[in-house]
């Protein structure tokens, strides 16, 4: 089955990106907790354990977590396109699909998937930046290009952890 073969109305498709430790999982937890009855499928593209808040989890297996809002959270171990197809095939379908990008990925490339199929409605690429990490990471010779590309990909930029820096740094 391809994305185009899954029948439904276009589903909002968002990507949450940011470097490691920027607060992506915390933002996802807040989104799910405040879901207001919306069914949100969360696809997690990360290398570590899923850290979805236990209060939001109803069941868990190796690749999928049942969420209290009636939707799912999947790891992308089987591939991004397959995870999206699986989310689109849910009955009833989700109101939105949110991808938590890996901390070292380019969220723009992930967001481009929404433009490839009419089953998906591009929503936003949200990038979180930890205020205390920005300066050292942006100047780092190994990861500086990555964090700059993440910020450039943002439709919405969230400056997080502002309590960890001085007013002058902020």
């Amino acid at each position: 089955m391809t994305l185009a073969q899954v029948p439904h109305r276009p589903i909002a498709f968002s990507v949450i990106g940011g470097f490691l430790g920027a607060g992506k999982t915390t933002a996802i937890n807040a989104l799910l907790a405040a879901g207001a009855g919306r069914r949100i499928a969360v696809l997690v593209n990360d290398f570590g354990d899923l850290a979805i808040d236990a209060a939001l989890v109803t069941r868990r297996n190796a690749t999928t977590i049942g969420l209290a809002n009636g939707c799912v959270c999947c790891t992308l171990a089987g591939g991004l396109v397959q995870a999206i197809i699986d989310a689109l095939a849910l009955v009833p379908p989700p109101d939105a699909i949110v991808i938590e990008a890996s901390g070292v990925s380019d969220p723009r490339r992930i967001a481009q998937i929404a433009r490839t199929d009419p089953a998906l409605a591009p929503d936003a690429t949200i990038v979180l930046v930890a205020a205390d990490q920005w300066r050292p990471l942006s100047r780092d010779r190994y990861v500086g290009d990555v964090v700059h590309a993440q910020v450039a990909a943002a439709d919405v930029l969230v400056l997080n952890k502002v309590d960890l820096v001085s007013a002058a740094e902020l």
Side-chain angles (χ1 to χ4, degrees):
M1 179 177 285
T2 66
L3 287 176
Q5 294 170 319
V6 179
H8 58 78
R9 62 180 169 30
I11 294 174
F13 184 91
S14 298
V15 178
I16 296 182
F19 204 72
L20 303 166
K24 298 178 302 292
T25 301
T26 300
I28 295 273
N29 283 328
L31 174 71
L32 292 171
R38 293 185 69 212
R39 292 175 42 82
I40 302 170
V42 178
L43 309 179
V44 180
N45 181 22
D46 216 338
F47 303 108
D49 292 332
L50 295 171
I52 301 297
D53 188 333
L56 300 170
V57 175
T58 58
R59 63 182 165 72
R60 182 185 299 252
N61 69 32
T63 59
T64 306
I65 297 174
L67 299 172
N69 72 353
C71 227
V72 297
C73 176
C74 305
T75 64
L76 300 182
L80 177 58
V81 172
Q82 187 59 52
I84 294 169
I85 290 170
D86 292 347
L88 291 172
L90 292 169
V91 179
D95 298 310
I97 296 174
V98 175
I99 296 183
E100 180 182 351
S102 162
V104 294
S105 68
D106 181 353
R108 177 174 304 174
R109 294 182 72 191
I110 298 169
Q112 288 174 342
I113 292 168
R115 292 173 177 77
T116 65
D117 194 285
L120 301 169
D123 194 12
T125 300
I126 303 156
V127 175
L128 282 82
V129 174
D132 64 322
Q133 295 177 348
W134 171 253
R135 187 165 281 150
L137 287 175
S138 68
R139 295 176 178 166
D140 186 278
R141 70 181 189 164
Y142 299 109
V143 300
D145 290 346
V146 172
V147 296
H148 282 273
Q150 289 174 344
V151 167
D155 296 317
V156 176
L157 188 61
V158 177
L159 187 57
N160 197 17
K161 302 185 180 184
V162 296
D163 58 320
L164 300 178
V165 296
S166 69
E169 283 181 292
L170 189 55

